[in-house]
Amino acid sequence: MKGTTYDVARIREDFPILRREVNGHPLVYLDNAASAQKPQVVIDTLDEYYREHNANVHRGLHTLSEEATTAYEEGREVSRRFINAGSLEEVIFVRGTTEGINLVAQSYGRTHLQRGDEVLITYMEHHSNIVPWQIVCEQTGATLKVCPIDEHGQLVWESFEALVGARTKIVAFAHISNALGTINPVRRMVEKAHEVGAVTVIDGAQAAPHLRIDVQALDCDFYTFSGHKMFAPTGVGVLYGKKHLLEAMPPWQGGGDMIKTVSFERTVYNALPYKFEAGTPIIAGVIGMAAAMRYLEEVGLDRIAAYEAELLEYGTRRLQEIPGLRLIGTASQKAGVLSFVMDVAHPHDIGTILSHEGVAVRTGHHCAQPLMDFFQVPATVRASLALYNDRDDLDALVRGLEKVRRLFA
Ligand code: PMP
């Protein structure tokens, strides 16, 4: 694929679900920010794993267990490469972004925070990058601070600079906002946080399917994302952490695999990364996720980003032609999210009509209720793009919205 022009028709063939009809129409899948579809290679990898190799990992001496362990640990190397982590010990498999953030909040946050300390987040965070910090602040007496955004849905840099101070211990923020598509200036944010010695936690849930991630170039302390949004199965994700931080952190969950020896008097914990992977790990999920990462690398993340930017521009232009439609989230640096409201109908009615037309979008608060309050809307309609969407999908969306106008205006 690399080096050739972006052949979206060819890419669509890799995703069998895109051949489906919904309510008598070809499926137009524009709910990728919630969960993305799976290419045949991921489905085949899972199928083969369960048919040929299924066994528990790390403990068995028998052949199937060795095969499963090899494939699982290969998944760690593929994940390391995918985010350019410095070592395998820095790659921890988790259930998804939510679990990654909770792990950092409870293991790092709970041991390092005390009364008077501050955790800084932003106004555009997903609930899973708000609530874990509220919980740990309540547990430790630390204070949660929130950096404002402007009317385009961009971080207000001067406020961010002012809020990062001597009391700031943790700064947690989205790489890309799920509700707005805003791409945050994450490198600068990390640099600023490091000036005061704070650690940074990046929620990469919306970045992993769209951008090349390089945790060493970002110099972030923690980075986490979910497999299911990047064409891998549900129930698996990655937490990256800098080795010296992870080493000093206590385990979050106890159980099998995360120990070296156990007695009733004293337990010795396992080395990284296993210290943070208690219990039977997400074996099939990791193997499936590695297949998705390889697929993305083969298509080329830089090419995907360039293609999606062009598609976003087209979609933005088309939506702006619809009378009474207001885009929510108009940042200058934006990824493939088109969030909007219309004067004639509630987002839920719009979503229902679009579904009748075979168009899948998300309507609601997108797990970002404070953000909806900021824009003074109860909910938005969100069309979110992936590497297999094309202009026809956006044209179908626009036709659906024209129908909404005809029905409600
Ligand atoms: N952060 C962001 C920005 C998200 O978009 C999502 C998923 N909508 C999450 C966190 C939570 O991800 P998960 O549900 O896979 O844990």
Side-chain angles (χ1 to χ4, degrees):
M1 263 321 263
K2 272 185 189 149
T4 58
T5 55
Y6 194 88
D7 187 352
V8 69
R10 169 69 205 79
I11 285 170
R12 290 179 71 81
E13 284 171 16
D14 295 335
F15 292 80
I17 210 168
L18 298 180
R19 297 196 274 276
R20 238 202 92 160
E21 284 205 344
V22 171
N23 299 323
H25 300 272
L27 169 66
V28 173
Y29 191 75
L30 291 169
D31 194 19
N32 296 290
S35 202
Q37 299 304 343
K38 319 304 173 200
Q40 189 66 50
V41 65
V42 169
I43 299 167
D44 287 347
T45 301
L46 289 175
D47 183 71
E48 189 199 318
Y49 168 71
Y50 280 121
R51 277 188 299 99
E52 302 280 346
H53 311 291
N54 176 58
N56 210 330
V57 294
H58 297 152
R59 287 182 281 271
L61 282 176
H62 61 82
T63 301
L64 291 190
S65 178
E66 280 173 5
E67 287 173 5
T69 304
T70 301
Y72 177 74
E73 291 302 335
E74 263 174 30
R76 202 182 306 276
E77 169 54 21
V78 174
S79 302
R80 187 206 61 73
R81 194 178 67 210
F82 190 74
I83 57 173
N84 193 31
S87 80
L88 292 170
E89 295 152 297
E90 297 179 319
V91 177
I92 294 157
F93 293 123
V94 288
R95 207 157 48 80
T97 310
T98 303
E99 189 171 77
I101 296 170
N102 276 279
L103 192 162
V104 178
Q106 286 303 309
S107 175
Y108 183 87
R110 201 158 177 188
T111 42
H112 286 82
L113 292 170
Q114 50 191 8
R115 193 165 297 284
D117 289 343
E118 291 175 0
V119 176
L120 176 61
I121 59 172
T122 84
Y123 228 93
M124 70 180 93
E125 299 311 316
H126 187 280
H127 294 163
S128 65
N129 205 22
I130 302 174
V131 184
W133 303 116
Q134 285 176 327
I135 292 172
V136 75
C137 282
E138 204 163 282
Q139 290 163 335
T140 59
T143 306
L144 188 67
K145 294 278 180 179
V146 186
C147 181
I149 55 171
D150 66 17
E151 72 278 14
H152 297 289
Q154 303 171 126
L155 192 82
V156 180
W157 182 256
E158 297 71 37
S159 306
F160 184 75
E161 277 192 312
L163 280 162
V164 175
R167 291 166 182 266
T168 314
K169 293 292 177 290
I170 298 174
V171 187
F173 43 91
H175 196 159
I176 297 178
S177 153
N178 65 307
L180 305 172
T182 308
I183 304 176
N184 275 315
V186 283
R187 178 74 193 95
R188 276 174 79 200
M189 293 169 84
V190 169
E191 249 171 45
K192 184 71 210 164
H194 284 174
E195 276 176 22
V196 297
V199 304
T200 47
V201 185
I202 302 184
D203 169 352
Q206 295 297 337
H210 304 294
L211 297 179
R212 182 179 301 286
I213 298 164
D214 184 335
V215 291
Q216 293 190 75
L218 289 174
D219 196 28
C220 56
D221 300 287
F222 298 99
Y223 194 104
T224 185
F225 58 94
S226 306
H228 70 99
K229 293 179 199 284
M230 45 151 298
F231 320 106
T234 51
V236 66
V238 169
L239 170 67
Y240 160 83
K242 280 186 179 163
K243 189 174 160 189
H244 73 279
L245 294 173
L246 292 173
E247 262 171 352
M249 282 158 58
W252 181 43
Q253 294 179 329
D257 240 27
M258 53 74 71
I259 48 85
K260 267 204 179 88
T261 60
V262 177
S263 73
F264 288 121
E265 291 71 38
R266 192 172 112 85
T267 288
V268 179
Y269 303 133
N270 206 340
L272 288 177
Y274 310 109
K275 183 171 82 174
F276 292 106
E277 293 180 4
T280 297
I282 314 152
I283 307 166
V286 165
I287 294 167
M289 182 166 67
M293 287 171 172
R294 284 187 167 118
Y295 178 80
L296 283 172
E297 284 173 349
E298 206 174 296
V299 179
L301 274 149
D302 294 338
R303 297 174 64 235
I304 293 169
Y307 172 74
E308 288 179 357
E310 189 267 328
L311 201 57
L312 176 69
E313 211 181 293
Y314 177 75
T316 306
R317 205 166 59 236
R318 293 291 330 260
L319 289 188
Q320 278 167 339
E321 288 162 10
I322 298 175
L325 185 147
R326 174 185 164 210
L327 278 171
I328 305 288
T330 48
S332 62
Q333 298 296 312
K334 217 184 133 172
V337 170
L338 291 157
S339 227
F340 59 89
V341 290
M342 288 172 82
D343 55 359
V344 289
H346 188 277
H348 292 317
D349 294 326
I350 300 171
T352 305
I353 289 168
L354 289 175
S355 181
H356 287 156
E357 304 296 311
V359 180
V361 293
R362 172 93 3 171
T363 60
H365 53 60
H366 316 295
C367 296
Q369 278 180 340
L371 192 61
M372 298 295 113
D373 294 343
F374 176 82
F375 283 102
Q376 297 184 324
V377 292
T380 74
V381 182
R382 181 188 68 187
S384 50
L385 308 176
L387 78 171
Y388 42 64
N389 288 121
D390 60 13
R391 288 186 176 213
D392 290 347
D393 291 339
L394 293 168
D395 293 343
L397 171 68
V398 169
R399 275 197 306 280
L401 297 176
E402 281 163 355
K403 185 166 182 182
V404 170
R405 275 191 61 75
R406 281 200 303 280
L407 287 172
F408 285 87

